[in-house]
């Protein structure tokens, strides 16, 4: 009857609200659980049969953000600038040594100018790209630390930034935070 339905209406709203809250919480935990499972599988790939792996903290998902300094293209440009700067130092040392020919002196001076200009152009290009770079990416990321202990007692610690796809079904890329120059490395599907 309409009167009994009107009396049950607030109860139905409460039941529906509780159901939605539980469903949302379980979906969120399911995504976190999948991320933890993928991270544990990634850590297990660093161990062999004579070692054990232990996660040092659980995975906490955050919206994915990839810093400009982690990009391989950035490291390539920095490496090129370092090589040019080293060549510049070598040419400068040659220029400061006594020269017997004005032609050689002029060639070295020109090379010094060219390498210095190239380094400055790379620096300006890096600064321009960094200002225009959008660090946010689709998907999720998590900082993950684990240790691997071998049977002989040797222990090694690992720290990675793991990048997941939007549905948290696979790890798309990693950044090894133990490297002196951390670089984003994409993981191909399959």
């Amino acid at each position: 009857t309409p009167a009994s339905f009107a009396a049950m209406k607030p109860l139905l709203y409460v039941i529906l609200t509780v159901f939605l809250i539980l469903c949302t919480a379980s979906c969120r935990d399911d995504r976190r659980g999948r991320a933890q499972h993928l991270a544990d599988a990634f850590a297990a790939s660093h161990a062999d049969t004579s070692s054990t792996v232990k996660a040092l903290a659980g995975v906490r998902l955050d919206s994915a953000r990839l810093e400009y300094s982690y990009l391989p293209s950035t490291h390539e440009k920095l490496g090129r600038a370092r090589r040019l700067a080293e060549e510049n130092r070598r040419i400068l040392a040659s220029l400061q040594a006594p020269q017997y020919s004005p032609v050689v002196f002029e060639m070295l001076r020109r090379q010094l100018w060219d390498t210095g200009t190239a380094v400055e152009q790379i620096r300006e290009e890096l600064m321009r790209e960094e200002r225009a770079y959008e660090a946010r990416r689709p998907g999720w990321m998590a900082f993950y630390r684990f240790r691997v202990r071998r049977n002989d007692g040797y222990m090694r610690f690992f720290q990675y930034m793991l990048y997941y796809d939007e549905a948290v079904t696979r790890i798309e890329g990693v950044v090894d935070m133990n490297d002196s120059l951390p670089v984003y490395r994409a993981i191909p599907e399959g």
Side-chain angles (χ1 to χ4, degrees):
T1 66
S4 63
F5 180 72
M8 291 181 61
K9 195 173 184 179
L11 181 63
L12 287 174
Y13 283 130
V14 170
I15 290 171
L16 184 62
T17 304
V18 169
F19 176 74
L20 287 174
I21 290 172
L22 290 175
C23 182
T24 305
S26 69
C27 292
R28 185 174 52 241
D29 289 339
D30 187 39
R31 186 175 57 216
R32 187 190 159 289
R34 285 193 311 263
Q36 184 70 49
H37 176 72
L38 290 168
D40 291 341
F42 176 78
S45 71
H46 285 71
D48 56 13
T49 56
S50 65
S51 56
T52 58
V53 177
K54 176 168 177 35
L56 300 178
V59 169
R60 284 189 295 207
L61 291 176
D62 192 6
S63 58
R65 177 178 175 80
L66 181 60
E67 299 299 327
Y68 181 72
S69 60
Y70 296 160
L71 295 176
S73 60
T74 303
H75 288 281
E76 177 189 322
K77 289 175 186 165
L78 287 172
R80 194 164 21 116
R82 265 189 236 103
R83 287 189 298 275
L84 285 169
E86 183 59 38
E87 183 179 341
N88 201 333
R89 282 190 287 279
R90 184 184 53 75
I91 293 169
L92 184 60
S94 297
L95 248 171
Q96 291 173 345
Q99 299 297 321
Y100 301 104
S101 168
V103 173
V104 172
F105 179 82
E106 187 58 33
M107 282 177 35
L108 289 173
R109 189 188 68 72
R110 186 70 188 148
Q111 283 180 335
L112 184 67
W113 177 264
D114 290 344
T115 56
T117 304
V119 169
E120 185 61 26
Q121 287 172 347
I122 291 172
R123 187 184 73 78
E124 288 174 3
E125 183 181 344
L126 283 169
M127 289 174 61
R128 188 174 47 253
E129 286 177 1
E130 186 175 17
R131 281 192 299 272
Y133 180 69
E134 177 58 46
R136 291 282 176 205
R137 309 169 52 91
W140 303 93
M141 67 181 252
F143 181 68
Y144 188 60
R145 295 181 325 164
F146 60 95
R147 73 168 191 234
V148 174
R149 175 179 275 166
R150 292 194 335 214
N151 288 344
D152 62 2
Y154 176 77
M155 189 182 315
R156 185 161 176 215
F157 291 92
F158 295 91
Q159 300 181 89
Y160 282 93
M161 292 297 293
L162 303 176
Y163 290 88
Y164 299 94
D165 61 350
E166 291 181 72
V168 192
T169 56
R170 71 180 202 85
I171 297 175
E172 292 184 326
V174 297
V175 175
D176 186 354
M177 302 306 284
N178 286 339
D179 280 349
S180 58
L181 293 172
V183 178
Y184 176 81
R185 182 173 47 92
I187 297 177
E189 270 190 71

